[in-house]
Amino acid sequence: MDDAGNEHSKKSEETHPEIKAGMFSGDDINESLAKQFGMEICMDLSAFHLTRDLYEHIPYSFAKSNIVIPIAAEGDSVTVAVADPISLEPLEEMRMMLGKEVKAVYCPRDVILTTLNEVYNQEEGAASQMLAGLKDKREDGKGEGDVEVYDLLDRRRDQATIVKLINLILTEAIQQGASDIHFDPIEDGLKVRYRIDGVLQLRHSPASEYQQQLITRIKVMSKMDIAEHRLPQDGRIKLKMGPREIDFRVSTVPVVNGERIVLRILDKGNVILGLNRMGMLPDAFEEFKKLIKLPEGIILVTGPTGSGKTTTLYSAIGDVVSDEVNIMTIEDPVEYNLKGIAQIGVRPKINLTFAAGLRHILRQDPDVVMIGEIRDVETAEIAIQASLTGHLVMSTLHTNDAPSAITRLVDMGIEPFLLSSTIIGVMAQRLVRRICPSCKESYTPDELEIKKLGIIPKDLKNKKLYRGKGCRKCFDSGYRGRHGVYELMVIDNALQKQIVTSPDAIELRKIAIESGMLSLLKHGAELVKQGITTVSEVLRVTRGIEAGE
C-alpha cells in the first residue's frame, strides 16, 4: 500500500478502532461513514465523461496523495469523488484551486486511483503541442538537471520546460507501444523516432537550440557524466507511470552532429510470457514442449536482434519452473525479473563474463541453465560440457535460420561430433506485424504476389487476402501488434549423421524439411492465409532465407 493509502487507514483507525482488530476493511468503514453523513455513494466512475478542463487545475501529485478526483461540473459547482469522507482539508484546497464550490461524493479508493491513472495518461500529442509552442521561445535550461523524476504523470507547474518535454516524450512512446526511442542529432536539429512493432517512425523534430538540453537531461536521469561528450556511455533510468514501473536502458555514442542517444524501453507490464501465447503452429509447439522437458541437451533460439528470442526463452523457463527444478540464468543484462529463478547479470568490468559466470553456475547444482547469448568459443565449450554432464542448457545465437546455427558453432571452433551429441533442437524466429483490426480490409491478390510465399489461389478463402488501410489507432501504418514466426529443427538421427559428416547449412536444411520441419516462410504463409499479417511483411523478415522447396 502506498503512503496515501496508509494515511487514510490511520485516519479511519483513529475514528474507528475496530478496524485495527480486523473487523472491517478501510473501504467498508469509509462507505459506512459516508452513508452516516448522508453523502452520495458512487461505486463506479466509468459513466462519467472526465474532460481535461475538469482536472487540468488539479496537480496529479495532489489528487493521488489525497485520493480525490473531480468527476462533474455544473454551473459554479464541481462534484468531487473522495475516498475518505472525513477528510475536509483536500476539499477546501480544491475549492481554492478551482474557484468553485465543491460537492463531495464517496467512491472506493481503488476506483479513484485507477481513474486517476487513466485520465492523467490521456495527453496524446502533448509532446508535439509543446514542441510547437517552443518554436519561438528559447530557454537557458539552467538547473533542469537537478530535477528528479519519480512519476511520468506528475507534471507540476514548477518543472523546467525541458523536463516536462522529456516526460511527455517518454509517456507518449510508452502509450504507443514503442520498444525504443531514438534521439538522432542532425545538422539543423534533432530527430526523435520511436520503434513501434519493429519499425522506426519519425515522431518529433525539435529545433537545434533544444538538442543539447534534451540530451543533457537524459544523461542526468540515467546517471551519466554530462561533461563527457567524446566517449560512448551506458546508463539506466527507472521511472513510474502511475502504478507501472518502467525501466529504460540508455546508450549514448558521439556522432558528427553531437551525441546520439537510444533508450530501450523495458516495460514489464507489456511482456507476454507463456509458450501457449507465442503463436507457434501446433506441431512445432508440441515438439518444443517435449524438448524443454528433456533432462539434458542444448536448445538454441536464433534470429536477429529484436526478434523475441529472450521472450521465448523466458516463456520456456516459465513452463518448467517448479520447486523440484533449480533454474539459473546468466544474461547481459537481466531485462526482466522472473520469480523463483536465480538470475545473474554479466559485468565485464569486474571480469564477470558469460564464460566466467557459467563456470560458477555449474557449481550451484543447476538442472536448467539459460545463457543470454553464445558469443564466443569459450562460452560454447562450457555450454557443451554442461550438457554432457547432465544439464539442460538454453541459449540464443545470431543466425538467419535454424540450420545455420550448427554451421556458426563449427566456424567458432566447436567439433562437429560434440554438436551432434549435445544439441537437441534449434528454433529460428522472427516477428511480423499484425494487420490492424480497426482498419483491416480484404483485397484480391495477383498470382505473382502470393507465388513468392508458395501460395496457390485455391488455398485462399474466397480468393481474398487482407491488409490494413491505415487509421488513427495504428498511426496510419496499417499494422498494430506483432506475431511470431517460427522454424523448429529437432535434431534426429539423420541430422546427427549429417552434422558429423558435413555441417553444411544447405544440406542440413534439406534433411530437416524432409523430416517435417516447417520453414519460416511456410509459417509466414499460414499467417497470411489466416489474415493475421501481409505478404510484404512476411517477405520483409524472411528475405534471404531459402524456402526449402
Side-chain angles (χ1 to χ4, degrees):
M1 187 183 286
D2 58 24
D3 294 339
N6 287 331
E7 285 177 24
H8 279 79
S9 297
K10 285 174 186 173
K11 286 179 187 174
S12 299
E13 284 172 9
E14 288 166 9
T15 313
H16 292 267
E18 61 268 28
I19 292 178
K20 277 189 177 176
M23 294 172 67
F24 300 102
S25 70
D27 276 344
D28 287 341
I29 197 68
N30 282 337
E31 185 181 345
S32 175
L33 283 168
K35 286 176 181 174
Q36 287 179 37
F37 298 153
M39 286 177 71
E40 186 181 333
I41 309 294
C42 185
M43 304 301 286
D44 184 12
L45 299 178
S46 59
F48 292 92
H49 181 57
L50 304 181
T51 56
R52 185 173 176 177
D53 58 343
L54 266 176
Y55 60 88
E56 65 178 347
H57 298 296
I58 308 296
Y60 172 73
S61 53
F62 173 85
K64 184 185 175 186
S65 62
N66 292 289
I67 323 251
V68 293
I69 185 170
I71 56 174
E74 188 176 346
D76 291 330
S77 71
V78 176
T79 303
V80 176
V82 301
D84 187 349
I86 61 174
S87 181
L88 301 178
E89 288 176 19
L91 296 176
E92 189 59 39
E93 287 188 53
M94 288 183 80
R95 187 177 289 112
M96 300 288 288
M97 290 177 190
L98 297 169
K100 294 183 178 182
E101 288 302 311
V102 173
K103 177 194 171 188
V105 299
Y106 170 76
C107 183
R109 176 180 173 277
D110 288 345
V111 175
I112 293 178
L113 287 174
T114 301
T115 308
L116 277 174
N117 186 42
E118 288 172 359
V119 299
Y120 281 88
N121 197 8
Q122 286 177 348
E123 299 190 28
E124 286 186 25
S128 298
Q129 291 170 21
M130 188 169 184
L131 281 167
L134 284 173
K135 282 179 183 175
D136 300 318
K137 185 178 176 182
R138 197 183 283 256
E139 290 189 8
D140 62 8
K142 289 178 182 175
E144 62 203 29
D146 299 329
V147 182
E148 192 69 40
V149 180
Y150 293 103
D151 199 317
L152 286 175
L153 301 184
D154 184 3
R155 294 166 194 146
R156 301 185 300 273
R157 291 180 184 179
D158 60 347
Q159 284 180 335
T161 305
I162 291 298
V163 174
K164 288 180 184 176
L165 179 57
I166 285 290
N167 286 3
L168 289 170
I169 288 172
L170 297 181
T171 303
E172 182 181 73
I174 294 163
Q175 285 173 339
Q176 295 183 11
S179 61
D180 302 85
I181 308 171
H182 290 233
F183 292 85
D184 300 318
I186 53 178
E187 284 185 14
D188 56 348
L190 191 71
K191 284 196 302 185
V192 181
R193 298 184 291 172
Y194 303 160
R195 188 177 292 281
I196 299 173
D197 295 333
V199 178
L200 278 172
Q201 299 177 24
L202 180 64
R203 280 290 179 270
H204 309 292
S205 300
S208 56
E209 58 260 35
Y210 303 108
Q211 175 182 322
Q212 195 53 50
Q213 293 179 44
L214 285 164
I215 288 172
T216 300
R217 175 60 191 157
I218 294 168
K219 289 172 78 173
V220 167
M221 291 170 75
S222 50
K223 306 289 189 290
M224 293 182 186
D225 181 358
I226 61 171
E228 181 56 76
H229 305 289
R230 301 163 300 166
L231 293 172
Q233 295 187 67
D234 292 309
R236 289 184 86 104
I237 304 173
K238 194 177 185 73
L239 298 176
K240 285 173 67 181
M241 188 170 170
R244 293 160 68 186
E245 281 195 358
I246 299 159
D247 288 345
F248 295 81
R249 200 166 72 227
V250 187
S251 170
T252 173
V253 294
V255 293
V256 173
N257 295 304
E259 285 181 278
R260 188 178 193 277
I261 291 186
V262 175
L263 287 79
R264 166 63 59 89
I265 301 172
L266 305 173
D267 185 0
K268 296 172 187 176
N270 211 20
V271 181
I272 299 172
L273 296 179
L275 285 181
N276 57 336
R277 302 169 75 182
M278 303 297 290
M280 296 181 197
L281 289 172
D283 290 347
F285 175 68
E286 292 302 324
E287 289 285 358
F288 192 67
K289 280 195 75 172
K290 286 177 189 174
L291 290 178
I292 63 174
K293 293 287 166 55
L294 292 175
E296 59 195 47
I298 298 174
I299 298 169
L300 297 173
V301 180
T302 77
T305 302
S307 59
K309 300 186 297 296
T310 305
T311 303
T312 298
L313 287 183
Y314 279 167
S315 296
I317 285 172
D319 217 55
V320 297
V321 68
S322 71
D323 290 336
E324 291 78 39
V325 181
N326 180 18
I327 302 173
M328 299 190 73
T329 77
I330 180 156
E331 306 166 57
D332 182 21
V334 176
E335 294 192 0
Y336 303 104
N337 295 326
L338 303 174
K339 279 188 178 179
I341 293 163
Q343 294 173 272
I344 300 169
V346 167
R347 298 177 71 186
K349 287 181 181 176
I350 57 169
N351 205 31
L352 179 54
T353 59
F354 277 116
L358 195 47
R359 283 196 196 93
H360 290 285
I361 282 177
L362 295 178
R363 295 173 194 149
Q364 293 278 315
D365 185 32
D367 298 298
V368 179
V369 177
M370 180 193 127
I371 308 166
E373 185 185 340
I374 294 178
R375 294 177 180 171
D376 51 56
V377 66
E378 192 180 6
T379 306
E381 284 173 346
I382 299 168
I384 285 168
Q385 290 304 316
S387 168
L388 290 171
T389 52
H391 303 88
L392 181 65
V393 180
M394 301 183 194
S395 188
T396 70
L397 207 59
H398 286 283
T399 62
N400 278 344
D401 59 0
S404 298
I406 307 295
T407 311
R408 176 65 53 83
L409 290 169
V410 171
D411 291 343
M412 278 185 186
I414 305 298
E415 291 292 341
F417 74 89
L418 287 172
L419 297 176
S420 70
S421 56
T422 54
I423 294 180
I424 56 177
V426 184
M427 175 177 280
Q429 70 178 72
R430 298 288 189 279
L431 290 174
V432 291
R433 292 181 291 171
R434 286 175 172 270
I435 298 169
C436 174
S438 302
C439 60
K440 188 175 182 179
E441 63 176 10
S442 63
Y443 72 102
T444 305
D446 59 60
E447 282 195 39
L448 184 62
E449 182 184 7
I450 59 175
K451 189 180 177 182
K452 293 174 183 175
L453 292 184
I455 301 173
I456 53 178
K458 69 176 185 179
D459 290 342
L460 300 177
K461 191 178 181 182
N462 302 322
K463 295 185 177 179
K464 299 281 187 185
L465 284 182
Y466 296 89
R467 62 190 173 198
K469 193 161 66 173
C471 64
R472 183 172 171 271
K473 288 188 177 178
C474 63
F475 310 104
D476 294 315
S477 67
Y479 299 98
R480 191 150 56 110
R482 289 194 284 180
H483 193 288
V485 182
Y486 303 94
E487 171 182 280
L488 179 62
M489 183 175 80
V490 179
I491 307 298
D492 57 15
N493 290 335
L495 283 167
Q496 284 179 334
K497 286 178 185 175
Q498 182 61 43
I499 291 169
V500 174
T501 307
S502 170
D504 178 70
I506 296 171
E507 287 301 317
L508 290 170
R509 170 170 280 281
K510 284 179 184 174
I511 294 169
I513 286 173
E514 285 169 10
S515 302
M517 180 182 86
L518 210 61
S519 69
L520 287 165
L521 203 63
K522 287 287 186 186
H523 187 188
E526 287 298 316
L527 297 180
V528 169
K529 286 192 276 188
Q530 292 169 26
I532 292 171
T533 191
T534 62
V535 173
S536 61
E537 189 62 12
V538 172
L539 292 175
R540 178 180 69 85
V541 300
T542 60
R543 195 169 287 118
I545 302 172
E546 292 182 38
E549 300 291 352

